[in-house]
Amino acid sequence: MTFLTLLLQAAPADYTQFLFPVAIAAVVYFFMIRPQQKRSADTKKFRQALAKGARVVTIGGLHGLVIELTEETVVVEVDRGVKLRFDRSAIAREVGTKAADAAL
């Protein structure tokens, strides 16, 4: 037999050996890595788009109203006269705005 016929006969088995690891890598990327990157990008956009008057919750569960913003920090009023300064990364989510609360 020639080398070419031996190579052609062995080729399907060689490809199937590499197909499974490639498929596993694709599944891991599309179901684990890519969604995490999207969540991270969305969170970064949210934190950059914070504005005064937004009602927010910190990662520690503290609810308050944003009253002052700098590039790195956020001042949140948690009660009348009680103001706390947080890093922007400590803001977990927005629960509403002052305008939306006034409409209710």
Side-chain angles (χ1 to χ4, degrees), residues 6-79:
L6 289 174
L7 183 63
L8 291 175
Q9 288 175 356
D14 290 339
Y15 289 127
T16 56
Q17 288 177 348
F18 294 112
L19 184 62
F20 187 70
V22 169
I24 293 296
V27 167
V28 167
Y29 176 76
F30 284 108
F31 287 105
M32 296 176 71
I33 297 170
R34 191 169 176 216
Q36 179 60 35
Q37 288 175 340
K38 186 176 181 336
R39 273 192 301 274
S40 178
D42 291 344
T43 302
K44 185 176 180 180
K45 271 189 220 175
F46 159 71
R47 289 180 178 148
Q48 291 301 319
L50 278 175
K52 287 184 181 179
R55 294 210 175 269
V56 295
V57 178
T58 66
I59 57 174
L62 193 65
H63 292 246
L65 178 69
V66 175
I67 59 171
E68 184 183 326
L69 294 163
T70 65
E71 193 166 320
E72 295 180 3
T73 62
V74 177
V75 177
V76 178
E77 185 175 42
V78 294
D79 200 11

